[in-house]
Amino acid sequence: MVEERFNLRNRIIGVLLKDAREKANRSKRECADALGVSSSTITSYEAGRKGISLPELEVLAYLFDVPV
């Protein structure tokens, strides 16, 4: 049950993350460079396959000029 909630949370955050990135006209590469990760990691975040940390979300929110 708890794992299902985390999976759902990751998927919701992923959709919101992708939407914010596209609205900010930022590439996956730009986001990856800002976080020091690979572009495939950004793809995993956006697909909800991997959870993103709060500090990483804060960096991307700053990059996208949106509130966390």
Side-chain angles (χ1 to χ4, degrees):
M1 182 88 152
V2 173
E3 186 176 336
E4 289 174 18
R5 288 182 185 167
F6 278 115
N7 289 337
L8 178 59
R9 172 189 144 314
N10 288 343
R11 288 195 304 268
I12 291 168
I13 290 172
V15 168
L16 295 172
L17 182 60
K18 182 176 182 179
D19 185 58
R21 178 181 61 76
E22 290 175 346
K23 284 182 180 174
N25 293 314
R26 297 293 185 158
S27 69
K28 289 181 183 179
R29 175 80 278 168
E30 288 176 292
C31 296
D33 289 344
L35 297 180
V37 300
S38 67
S39 293
S40 63
T41 297
I42 300 300
T43 299
S44 292
Y45 290 158
E46 290 183 356
R49 291 189 304 267
K50 182 174 182 163
I52 187 168
S53 71
L54 181 57
E56 288 172 319
L57 279 175
E58 290 172 338
V59 168
L60 293 178
Y62 179 79
L63 182 68
F64 303 155
D65 193 30
V66 296
V68 175

